[in-house]
Amino acid sequence: QVQLVESGGGSVQAGGSLRLSCAASGRTFSSYVMGWFRQAPGKEREFVARINRSGSTTYYADSVKGRFTISRDNAKNTVYLQMNNLNSEDTAVYYCAAATLSYTESVGSYHHWGQGTQVTVSS
């Protein structure tokens, strides 16, 4: 079992940057694939990025590719999402999640979720 707590959300102007963090409890953090998802008002939760157990492989949604970077520090039990060049379409609640399956972007494949952190981008 792993518990996840996100932080780092806030309000920023278009073109700005934010760095989200997700701290995990437990000793098995490095055994999980970690992902970031987001959910805007009235929309379904959508995949943003994922990273494999060692941190050597990442994958991004087309909408954030080149602007967002996911990384992890297994010694600190933390996964990060660096978000640059933000725009209004990035406004959402951002969630980190843990999965045991590799190479998955499916919401249903992630069985452990944080409570979410709000990101608001104003134009």
Side-chain angles (χ1 to χ4, degrees):
Q1 191 79 4
V2 61
Q3 294 184 331
L4 306 172
V5 179
E6 302 97 334
S7 61
S11 297
V12 64
Q13 290 190 333
S17 299
L18 283 173
R19 188 194 196 200
L20 306 183
S21 299
C22 173
S25 64
R27 300 181 179 179
T28 59
F29 175 72
S30 61
S31 68
Y32 291 96
V33 172
M34 298 300 299
W36 284 98
F37 292 77
R38 66 187 182 185
Q39 188 166 17
K43 295 187 177 180
E44 293 186 352
R45 192 168 299 189
E46 66 175 4
F47 168 79
V48 174
R50 61 166 165 83
I51 188 166
N52 70 342
R53 295 169 180 81
S54 67
S56 62
T57 302
T58 58
Y59 184 77
Y60 299 91
D62 287 344
S63 59
V64 307
K65 199 174 296 182
R67 301 187 298 122
F68 291 12
T69 302
I70 187 172
S71 61
R72 68 189 295 164
D73 185 336
N74 286 342
K76 295 182 178 180
N77 282 10
T78 303
V79 62
Y80 305 97
L81 186 69
Q82 177 67 43
M83 306 185 295
N84 298 328
N85 194 22
L86 287 159
N87 59 60
S88 58
E89 294 184 349
D90 297 317
T91 295
V93 177
Y94 283 71
Y95 299 88
C96 71
T100 54
L101 291 176
S102 298
Y103 308 113
T104 177
E105 297 82 59
S106 168
V107 170
S109 296
Y110 289 77
H111 300 295
H112 306 283
W113 294 84
Q115 83 288 349
T117 185
Q118 177 71 47
V119 171
T120 303
V121 183
S122 59
S123 56

